[in-house]
Amino acid sequence: MRTLFVISATLLGAAPAFAQVHVEVIAPPPPHVVVAPPPRVVVAPPPAIRFEAPPPLTVVEPGVQVVRDSDEEVFYTGGWYWHPGPQGVWYRTRSYRGGWVVAPRAVVPGAIVRIPRGQYRHYRGEGWHNERREERHEAKALRHEERREEKAERHWDKHHGRR
């Protein structure tokens, strides 16, 4: 064993070791980083839509009603009043008196999301022309009845001494 130590020491001690290492790393240039301003979040105030009494509703499709002849589209379905706000935001409330809150997109009924915006603004329902015709007919009949009563009063006054 002593012999092995002497040979090892002679070899290691007698010849200095030189090592030359060359390492070259080629990497792509760093990515170009652009810092953009954060997206602008616009939160519109809730609508000021309110009714003093339960508004008249008209069915627009099974399970979906719209407030009849309203300046704003207000739908009623599932026990909620719904209003489409700007940029795809939906508002809902349980009360016709207001109290609108933003509705999470996941809870808005698909039946009203698919309705093109503005389609039911000032909507009067199917057959509203017939209703209007009936209203005009009733008003005409009332005017006719009033004229007949006035004529009967004049006749009575003229022939019974009142003037």
Side-chain angles (χ1 to χ4, degrees), residues 31-89:
H32 181 69
V33 177
V34 177
V35 178
R40 186 171 170 226
V41 177
V42 178
V43 178
I49 302 168
R50 63 184 317 267
F51 303 96
E52 295 303 317
L57 299 171
T58 300
V59 175
V60 294
E61 62 178 69
V64 178
Q65 297 172 301
V66 69
V67 173
R68 183 182 176 120
D69 200 21
S70 176
D71 292 339
E72 298 287 339
E73 280 183 309
V74 177
F75 298 96
Y76 185 79
T77 184
W80 293 89
Y81 290 93
W82 300 87
H83 173 67
Q87 301 173 357
V89 175

Side-chain angles (χ1 to χ4, degrees), residues 15-161:
F18 291 101
Q20 202 173 32
V21 176
H22 177 75
V23 177
E24 188 175 331
V25 176
I26 301 174
H32 181 69
V33 177
V34 177
V35 178
R40 186 171 170 226
V41 177
V42 178
V43 178
I49 302 168
R50 63 184 317 267
F51 303 96
E52 295 303 317
L57 299 171
T58 300
V59 175
V60 294
E61 62 178 69
V64 178
Q65 297 172 301
V66 69
V67 173
R68 183 182 176 120
D69 200 21
S70 176
D71 292 339
E72 298 287 339
E73 280 183 309
V74 177
F75 298 96
Y76 185 79
T77 184
W80 293 89
Y81 290 93
W82 300 87
H83 173 67
Q87 301 173 357
V89 175
W90 280 87
Y91 295 91
R92 72 179 179 173
T93 182
R94 288 227 184 246
S95 173
Y96 58 85
R97 293 189 173 124
W100 297 93
V101 295
V102 173
R105 184 75 171 171
V107 301
V108 181
I112 62 173
V113 170
R114 290 187 296 271
I115 295 173
R117 293 196 177 195
Q119 180 173 338
Y120 291 110
R121 187 175 288 130
H122 293 287
Y123 185 73
R124 297 182 184 170
E126 299 297 325
W128 73 272
H129 295 288
N130 292 338
E131 291 175 18
R132 184 72 178 127
R133 186 178 309 121
E134 289 172 13
E135 289 171 5
R136 283 194 309 262
H137 179 72
E138 288 171 7
K140 185 176 178 180
L142 182 61
R143 286 192 308 270
H144 178 73
E145 181 65 25
E146 288 170 354
R147 283 194 300 265
R148 192 179 67 72
E149 288 175 3
E150 287 173 5
K151 186 176 177 182
E153 271 185 39
R154 283 195 308 271
H155 177 78
W156 178 265
D157 290 345
K158 183 177 179 183
H159 294 292
H160 298 283

